[in-house]
Amino acid sequence: MTDMKKDRPWLFRTYAGHSTAKASNALYRTNLSKGQTGLSVAFDLPTQTGYDSDHELSRGEVGKVGVPVCHLGDMRALFDQIPLEQMNTSMTINATAPWLLSLYIAVAEEQGADVSQLQGTVQNDIIKEYLSRGTYICPPKPSLRMITDVAAYTREHLPKWNPMNVCSYHLQEAGATPEQELAFALATAIAVLDDLKTKVPAEAFPEMVGRISFFVNAGIRFVTEMCKMRAFVELWDEITTERYGITDPKMRRFRYGVQVNSLGLTEQQPENNVYRILIEMLAVTLSKNARARAVQLPAWNEALGLPRPWDQQWSLRMQQILAYETDLLEYDDLFDGNPAITRKVEALKDGARAELAQIDSMGGAIENIEYMKSRLVETNAERISRIEGGDTIVVGVNKWTEAEESPLTAGDEAIMVADPQAEADQVGRLNAWRESRDEAAVQAALAKVREAAKTGTNIMIPSIEAAKAGATTGEWGDMVRAAFGQYRGPTGVSKNPSNRTEGLEDIRSQVDAVSTKLGRRLKFLVGKPGLDGHSNGAEQIAARARDCGMDISYEGIRLTPEEIVNAAREEDVHVVGLSILSGSHIPLLEDLMKRMTSEGLGHIPVVVGGIIPDEDAKRLLAMGVAKVYTPKDFELNRIMFDIVGLVDPSPVAAE
C-alpha cells in the first residue's frame, strides 16, 4: 500500500496562562513537550485593560483568567527557555496590544532573535471589545488608530507577524447569529483596512491585506458552522477583490484560527462537553477550502473552573487523533458541489451582505457600536428564550437531566485552583521592579508615549523604548488614558421593554403586586464589579428584569464595589445583583458586603451570578449574600421570582 500525500495539519494550540509568568512558562514548556505546535497566551484582566497588578481595580483579578504581565521582567520570565525566533505565538490581547507586542519584541531582542523572523499574532481587535468582551480602554477612533499603528509597524519590521486578528469568537458568545458574526467581523476588517490604507505605501497595501487574520467561533450546529466558514472564505475574497482591488489570490486568502464554543459548555453533566468540543472542531477542519490554520480547544470542565494540565492534554489529544490517525488530510474538499451546502452558504452570504450594507450605509463599524451591541443583546435574549422554552434542546440542561454522578468531577482536585498567593507574589515583584529601574529613563520614555498618542506618531516606536526602559503596563495605560480619555461602552440594554412578554404574565403580576406594597416600582440594580467584561449574563438579567416590569439600573462593566454601593444608596434600590465570571468573586464580595453594612444598607439583598464552585458559594452565603447562581441556573424567570421573593417576605409561588 502506497502512503498518500497528506496536507500539513493546522497549528495545535492550547489557550493558557495563569497565576504568574513563571508558572505559565512551566505550563507552556510542558504543553510544547506534549506535541503542541504553537503558543496561545491568555493574559489576566489587569494586563488586558492596562492596569498594574497593585491597582485598586486589579484586586482579586491578578492571575485569574490569564497571566499577569506588568513589565519586561514578567515577559522575560514568561518565555524563559522558549526561543521566540522558532515559535509561533498568538497573544490574545486587544486594548494593550501595542504594549504587549513591544514587550515581546524587547524579549526577542534580548534572546538575540532576528526580529524580522518573528511569527505570531496579536488579536488587536478593539471593536469586538465594545460589543462583547469589554477590555477596551479608549474611545473607538483612537483605538482604531492604535490597531493600524501596530499593523504599519509590523509591515516594516515584523513582516511575518499577523498584526490584527479580527475576532468574531466573542460575537457568537454574545448571541450573534451566523449572519451577524459574518457581517460584524467583516465590517471590523473593512474599518481597519480603510484606515490602514492611509498609513502604508500603495504598493505595500495588498501585502497588508494578506496579513489580516481572523479568529472565529464554531458552535454545535456544525453543518451551519462549516457553511459559515465557507461563506467567510468567499465573502472575504469578494471584499478584497471588489473593494480593495487585490489581484493576488494569495493575499485574498481568508486565514483564521479558531477556538470552539465555550458558551455551549454545560455545568450539568460536564463530561458531555467532550463530544460537543469534538463535533465543533469538525466544523472548522472537515472542509479543506475553509480549514482553520490554527485550532485551540477548551477543556471539558471550563464551565466548572480552571482546567488542570490533564484536561488541557485531553483537548490536545483530540486534535492530534483527528490530524494523525484519521485520513482527513488526504482528500480534496469533501463538500465542493454539494447542493445542500451551496444553498446554505449562499443564504448565509446573502444575510451577511444585507447586514454589511446596513452598517456601511450608517457610516461603518466604528460609527455603529451601539447599533451592533443592541442587536447582539436582542439575539442573545432570543437564544436564551428558546432554551428556556425547550425549542432548543441542550442535553443535560433542559432535556434528559437525570444522570449518574460523574467520576470525572469527583474529589477536591477536580478543577485547578489558582494559587492564592499569586497576587501577593506578583505585587511584591512589581514593587521590586519599580525600585530597581532607572526612574528618569522610564519617565522620559513614557512622556514620548503620551506625546506620540497626542500627535499621531506611530505608538509602537516609543512603546518599545518604554518597554526596554522598564515602564509598566499600568504606566503605559495611564499615558494612553491621559491622551485619549477613558470610555464607557453602550450596554445594549434599552430602558424600554421588548415585545418578548409571552410567558411573563405571572412574574409581571408578582412584580406589580410587590411594587404596590412598596409604594413604588421594584428597583433592581445590576452591577459588574472588577475588570470582568463578560457582560452577556448581566445584560440578559437586566433585560429580563425590565421586561418583567422592574425598574432596572445597569451602567455596564468595570465598577468598583464602592461605586456599586454608592449607586445602591443614591438610587434607593431594593435588590443588588452582581455578575462576576473571572473568579474574583470572593475578594470583591468581601469588600462590597462590608461596605453595604457600614453604609447602613445591610438590609438590601445581594444576589451573585458567575462560575462559582460550591465551596465558594457557601462562603458567599456565609458573608450574607442572599442567592448564588451558576451556569446551571439558565431559567431566568426562576431567578426573577427569587428576586421578587427577596423583596417581599411573604411567600411567592413560581408555579
Side-chain angles (χ1 to χ4, degrees), residues 212-245:
I212 297 291
S213 60
F214 290 75
F215 186 73
V216 305
N217 202 329
I220 195 66
R221 292 170 58 81
F222 86 98
V223 176
T224 297
E225 293 294 308
M226 188 266 290
C227 291
K228 179 189 76 181
M229 296 321 307
R230 290 173 69 95
F232 253 136
V233 168
E234 293 175 23
L235 285 168
W236 185 241
D237 188 74
E238 186 179 296
I239 289 166
T240 53
T241 301
E242 296 176 5
R243 189 178 182 108
Y244 298 113

Side-chain angles (χ1 to χ4, degrees), residues 14 77-78 163 194 200 206 264 299 363 399 421 430 501 533 642:
T14 305
L78 187 63
D194 284 355
V200 300
K399 191 91 169 173
Q421 300 305 312
L430 172 60
T501 56
D642 287 349

